[in-house]
Structure formats: structure tokens, C-alpha cells
Amino acid sequence: MVTNQKFQRRRKIKKIVAVSTLLLISLLLISCGSASSSTSEAVTPLAGLPSQETKGSSGNTSGVTITNTSSSPKELNVGDLMYLDLNALQGSVDFSGVNANAEFLLSIANTSATQQSFNVQLSSDLSAPELDVSKEVSQPTNSLEEGNDVTEIFHEVLRLREREQDGLEMPKEVSFSASKSVESASPSISEGSTQSFKVLASLSSATSYVTVNGVAECVGSNVVFYVDDRVTTDILSSKEVGALCTQFDETVTKEQALFGSASDVNGDGKIVVFLTPQVNHLGGLGGGIVTGFFNSIDLHPATSSNPASNNMEILYIMVPDPNGIYGVPVSKSFALSNLILAVLPHELQHAISYNQHVFVNKGLAEEAWLNEGMSHLAEDLMGQNQENPSRYGIFLNSPSSYSLVAGSSPGLAARGAAYLFMRYLYEQSGNAGQFMKNMIQTSQVGTRNIETAFAGSASDFDQFGEFFLRWSVALGITDGGISQDRRYTYQPRVQDSVTGNWGGVCLRCNSDDNRGTVLSGVPVSNFSGSLSASTLPSSARFYKITGLQNKLYFSGANGSNGYGALIRTK
């Protein structure tokens, strides 16, 4: 049943979509997640895309300054686009009058966040086999995404735990004051003092823990850095810990000014960072790497049902482990250049989000996919974007394989997609700072939170489906030398003046991320006359169309959420 609200949203998307004369084609509905596109379809780079760029550079940012929209392919110049409503049982797009050498990029987007897959057949020949209307689309499963590992499930467990408050007592004090100084902190917090911590001992249990000891190596205005007493100075020296502490102390001030305050359940005015190889060990249990985590149970009093609580704001962070004593080997240089610096603002966002959503605004914690996307965006905005390209590079290799609104266990690719989506909206919002506060300081969650927080002035760009459709265009043409119109492309990335790391998004470049990640944009399949494609909820596919002089016929799932964007690229 289509509710009036859903109907109105669908109508809003359709207002920006132009379609040509309708012709009869039958409808195929195939099962979720599958695709009947020919396996012989060639995947090629889009015409005009640059070759690998020089180290650290952005892609080709040339192209038209303004992308115009039209209702006919023959009216499109290079860089222009038209939207297609692919939901009709039969429809067509007339390519007559188009230059024979013209090339187009077609993105097919399923703008539904959580509903069914969208299925469409495209054909340049009406005599092509008819679609099978007998098969019903099933709901997407919650099975793990390809490439997920146990460590990613661990983070999903933490996010789910944030949303389950049964049996947890509420703390008496939750207000954090960033103005509290070292002198006003608890007398027990001084450099050289020791503290025992309960750290999770299982990837799946909230009650299984080990007790380990830490030494306070650095006390800042906002943070206290403790180091596990098993960590020797050759692994982490006092100077190196001090440098991390000083930098993150400043980050806490900056991040809380952007998002909102963290809680202060024990009244010490501090966020504890505990550098411990127990985090490395947890990753090793799953055969992967856990770089750090925030556990919301620490913000609730320790009880018989919540025995692992430390009753404080605490971020658990890995340590270098070059010999793989505790888990997967991690060199000191890479841990200090990439992993630790990035995970600190990431986990702080989780802590801030939990406080603002749950304690301050009396709601539920943010949904896992969006919570992770916001944390990866926090890495970028705090000048520590070096780990994001490798994540969204996995997504870009196969964007149709992952739903943006991940139902469960958002793996690296889904996290990369969520980061790209939120970075795009951050750039589009007009008032990015207010957008970030709106996203965090609320009881709203998920796509509704995004729509409410964005609060755009344009009636055709204020709903999730509209955001997703235009974002799919940005994925297809950014850095492609096609358009400079910032409505449809990411802003060129820049180096952070403090950290020297690249901030923002590059989709076709050598990312300069200390990992050797080279990004080549989304894969584009050649349209060779006909295809049948199934697109997961909140995902997109991309096709290259050349030499079409007549009509392109399509048949989609009537009343669903399938839309296309046709961009002329040559």
C-alpha cells in the first residue's frame, strides 16, 4: 500500500523527471540482488576520462561550468542531462536527431531506501524478447555484504547495542564542559597515575571483558591518554603519545564545536583515550584489524547486567604491533600516519552522537549505516581523511553491489558509500556547519534525519530520493572533464592546512593515502542494444550509450522507485 506521504514524495521526484512518448512493453520482476544483464557486457572507462593523475592530484576538473537539464537527448550538449522516470510499464526515449558520434552516460538509480529492488529492461529494438512478468521481487536479505569480516560485525554489534537501552541505568551526569581545565579535573588524573580498565574480550559479547592497567601519559584540557602498561617505549614512546594527545586535544574542541558536546557521566571533564593491545587482540579474533571503538555501555553505570562498564567517556584505540604479537601485524609508521590519527575523531563522533541523540534529545541512537557515515565524514572534517579513499574505492569498484542504506553490518564498501553520500550533502547544504549540528543534535534518525537536517530551500532537492538521484550523477561524472557544475560534482579536494592530508573527495586520481590507492571512478558497462538490470535499494548502475539514432525503449516496475539520468559526455 502506498501511503499519501510516500505518494507525495514520489510525485516530487517525478517533477524533476522528463520522459518521452510511452509505448507498450511487458514488465519483468526478478528476485532481489540478481541481474540478468548479459555477462558479455563490456565494461569500459567513460570517453574523455583522464588517465591516472600525478601523485595526490585531483581528476580532470575541466568541462562545462553549468549543466543544463532538458527533456530530449537531441537538445543535450556535452555536460547537459535529462532525467528519466523508468517506473512506467512501457516508455521510450527518442534519440532521433542526435549526432551519430554523440556519447551518453546513463545512471540507473533505485531511490528507495529500504523497499524492493528495481528492475528495468532497456532495448533499442521492440522485437527483443518480452519481459517475464510472473516473477515477484523479494525483499533484500540481511546477509553480509561481500568482503565483510568479523571485525566489521563487531562494530555493527556496538551500533546495535547503542539502540538497545533495556536493562541499562541512566547516568546522573551527562554534561560535558570543554572549558574545564586540567586543574579542575579529578585529583587522581595526573601524568604517571595508573588506572584499571575493563576492555571487551569478545567480538560478540557485551559482558565478557578483561581487566588491564593503563598509565596516564598525557593530561590535556579535554583528554587523558592512558597507555596499556604492556606497551614498551619502542612501540610507543612518551613523545609520540604526547604528540597524539596534543593533536587530539585540539580536535576534541573543534569536533564538539561542529557537532555538539559529548557526555560527562563521571564529571571529570575528560574523554579518556586508552591505547591498548587488547584492541589489536579483538581484531585478531576475527582475522582482521579493529583500529578502535567506542562502547556506549561505558556511559551507563556498572551493574550486574552491565558489568563491563568503566563509567566514563572512553575511546579504546589500537597500538602498533609490527611483529603481530596481539593480532595482524601493523607497522609503527602506518599506525601513526593513518590508523590512529583517523580513528580518534571517528570514535569521538560516535560518542557525541550517542550523547546528543540518547541523553540530550531522549531518542534512539543513530542508525548504523548513517552513524558510520558521519564518523567517516568526521575523519575528513578533522583533517584525517587518509583512510577514506581505500574504503570508498571498494564501493566505486561495484556500486550496484551495495545498498547505501545498509540493512546490517555495513562493511568497508557500505561505509565508503555512506561517507561519499554525506560528504556530497555536506557540500550541497549551503550552511554546512548548521547541517552537521542538525544531523547530530536531534532525536531523528536515518533518512528522515537527513531530510530534516538538510532543510533545503529547493523543492526538488529536499527528499532522500532526490538526494540519491543527483548523487548518482556526481558519482558518474566527477573528475571526468564533463562538468564543473557543483550541483552534480564534488568540489575539488584540498590539503588540510594543519595536517597536510587531503580533504574532500577525488573519484579519479592517485589518492596519496599512504596505501597506494588509485581511484578510477565507477565501472561503466556498454549498452549493446538490450539489457535487463536489477538495482538494489539505494544503489545505482552506469551504462555508456553510443550510436543510438532511434528510440530507446524501457519497461520498469510500475509504481516503484527507479529513475535514470542521461548525461551527454561527448
Side-chain angles (χ1 to χ4, degrees):
M1 179 178 179
V2 178
T3 65
N4 183 61
Q5 183 181 29
K6 290 182 179 178
F7 178 74
Q8 292 299 325
R9 292 186 181 185
R10 190 172 300 154
R11 287 190 61 189
K12 291 190 69 182
I13 297 178
K14 289 186 176 185
K15 286 197 298 183
I16 66 172
V17 174
V19 285
S20 301
T21 308
L22 299 179
L23 292 173
L24 179 62
I25 305 178
S26 302
L27 170 67
L28 169 65
L29 293 175
I30 61 178
S31 59
C32 167
S34 64
S36 56
S37 303
S38 171
T39 56
S40 62
E41 260 183 350
V43 178
T44 63
L46 194 62
L49 296 188
S51 58
Q52 180 176 325
E53 299 294 318
T54 58
K55 181 178 181 181
S57 68
S58 291
N60 188 343
T61 56
S62 62
V64 299
T65 302
I66 297 296
T67 291
N68 297 301
T69 57
S70 181
S71 59
S72 171
K74 69 179 180 181
E75 297 174 358
L76 300 180
N77 295 311
V78 173
D80 292 344
L81 67 81
M82 64 178 292
Y83 289 112
L84 310 175
D85 182 349
L86 301 176
N87 294 297
L89 287 172
Q90 60 275 324
S92 67
V93 182
D94 192 353
F95 280 78
S96 60
V98 171
N99 187 296
N101 296 320
E103 295 182 359
F104 299 87
L105 173 69
L106 173 64
S107 70
I108 298 177
N110 185 343
T111 60
S112 168
T114 58
Q115 297 177 23
Q116 63 188 23
S117 293
F118 171 71
N119 304 277
V120 66
Q121 182 183 41
L122 299 175
S123 177
S124 59
D125 183 1
L126 269 180
S127 65
E130 290 188 350
L131 295 165
D132 181 358
V133 298
S134 64
K135 297 181 180 179
E136 183 179 354
V137 177
S138 61
Q139 288 290 93
T141 67
N142 288 326
S143 60
L144 297 180
E145 299 168 352
E146 182 180 357
N148 265 22
D149 60 24
V150 178
T151 59
E152 294 305 323
I153 300 173
F154 170 62
H155 289 286
E156 172 70 0
V157 169
L158 293 174
R159 301 291 79 80
L160 290 175
R161 190 176 298 148
E162 291 177 0
R163 298 176 64 82
E164 298 172 355
Q165 300 174 34
D166 291 344
L168 294 177
E169 295 182 9
M170 288 293 130
K172 296 179 180 179
E173 174 67 55
V174 297
S175 176
F176 181 96
S177 175
S179 64
K180 290 183 180 179
S181 64
V182 177
E183 291 76 14
S184 66
S186 170
S188 63
I189 304 178
S190 59
E191 292 183 7
S193 64
T194 61
Q195 171 84 37
S196 62
F197 297 94
K198 292 177 281 189
V199 187
L200 294 179
S202 168
L203 291 168
S204 59
S205 172
T207 59
S208 175
Y209 66 89
V210 294
T211 301
V212 293
N213 296 319
V215 179
E217 293 278 357
C218 175
V219 181
S221 296
N222 303 309
V223 300
V224 182
F225 268 59
Y226 285 90
V227 179
D228 191 308
D229 62 9
R230 294 171 292 176
V231 177
T232 57
T233 56
D234 61 317
I235 296 299
L236 273 177
S237 68
S238 296
K239 181 178 180 180
E240 289 162 338
V241 174
L244 291 171
C245 176
T246 299
Q247 185 166 344
F248 188 54
D249 203 31
E250 297 173 354
T251 296
V252 171
T253 299
K254 180 180 177 183
E255 194 163 343
Q256 290 191 121
L258 179 62
F259 292 143
S261 65
S263 59
D264 187 18
V265 296
N266 61 344
D268 68 355
K270 304 295 181 189
I271 292 170
V272 168
V273 174
F274 186 33
L275 295 154
T276 173
Q278 180 62 20
V279 175
N280 302 62
H281 176 66
L282 283 170
L285 292 175
I289 298 175
V290 172
T291 57
F293 64 93
F294 158 75
N295 193 357
S296 61
I297 66 171
D298 282 317
L299 305 185
H300 296 268
T303 62
S304 59
S305 61
N306 186 34
S309 172
N310 286 291
N311 195 39
M312 65 179 69
E313 289 68 27
I314 181 169
L315 311 180
Y316 305 88
I317 306 298
M318 66 172 294
V319 298
D321 188 13
N323 297 318
I325 296 173
Y326 298 98
V328 175
V330 178
S331 72
K332 182 174 183 176
S333 60
F334 190 69
L336 291 178
S337 69
N338 279 51
L339 301 181
I340 295 176
L341 288 173
V343 76
L344 286 167
H346 179 111
E347 299 305 331
L348 178 59
Q349 190 284 140
H350 287 316
I352 294 172
S353 179
Y354 188 83
N355 178 50
Q356 293 295 326
H357 277 85
V358 177
F359 291 157
V360 177
N361 290 288
K362 313 303 181 185
L364 292 176
E366 183 57 86
E367 293 178 4
W369 72 274
L370 186 51
N371 204 339
E372 295 296 348
M374 288 295 293
S375 276
H376 290 299
L377 180 59
E379 296 175 31
D380 183 353
L381 300 181
M382 296 301 112
Q384 304 297 344
N385 199 34
Q386 57 271 37
E387 283 295 278
N388 280 325
S390 64
R391 298 185 187 102
Y392 68 72
I394 303 172
F395 165 73
L396 291 175
N397 287 337
S398 185
S400 62
S401 299
Y402 307 99
S403 291
L404 169 65
V405 183
S408 65
S409 299
L412 294 179
R415 288 161 173 259
Y419 159 71
L420 286 175
F421 185 68
M422 293 311 300
R423 175 71 202 200
Y424 177 71
L425 291 182
Y426 174 84
E427 294 181 4
Q428 296 294 315
S429 63
N431 187 339
Q434 189 60 51
F435 177 48
M436 291 295 93
K437 286 182 172 60
N438 292 346
M439 284 293 303
I440 302 296
Q441 299 175 25
T442 180
S443 62
Q444 301 276 6
V445 298
T447 58
R448 181 63 180 272
N449 185 15
I450 295 173
E451 292 173 346
T452 304
F454 191 85
S457 59
S459 62
D460 63 349
F461 194 65
D462 62 0
Q463 299 292 336
F464 175 79
E466 297 160 356
F467 299 150
F468 187 86
L469 181 59
R470 195 183 291 182
W471 177 59
S472 73
V473 176
L475 293 178
I477 68 175
T478 294
D479 299 332
I482 297 166
S483 175
Q484 300 177 56
D485 193 327
R486 296 305 168 214
R487 294 173 299 171
Y488 305 100
T489 60
Y490 285 95
Q491 298 172 3
R493 64 180 190 161
V494 296
Q495 284 185 295
D496 186 275
S497 60
V498 176
T499 67
N501 297 316
W502 289 101
V505 169
C506 178
L507 300 186
R508 297 176 177 92
C509 67
N510 182 332
S511 65
D512 193 18
D513 63 350
N514 301 317
R515 285 180 173 268
T517 303
V518 177
L519 302 167
S520 303
V522 295
V524 180
S525 300
N526 289 324
F527 174 72
S528 56
S530 65
L531 65 88
S532 295
S534 177
T535 307
L536 294 170
S538 62
S539 71
R541 293 178 177 271
F542 300 86
Y543 296 92
K544 176 183 176 182
I545 297 177
T546 60
L548 199 57
Q549 296 283 284
N550 299 307
K551 289 185 177 181
L552 175 67
Y553 303 99
F554 64 86
S555 178
N558 191 33
S560 61
N561 296 277
Y563 295 88
L566 185 71
I567 307 103
R568 183 166 176 179
T569 58
K570 181 178 178 182

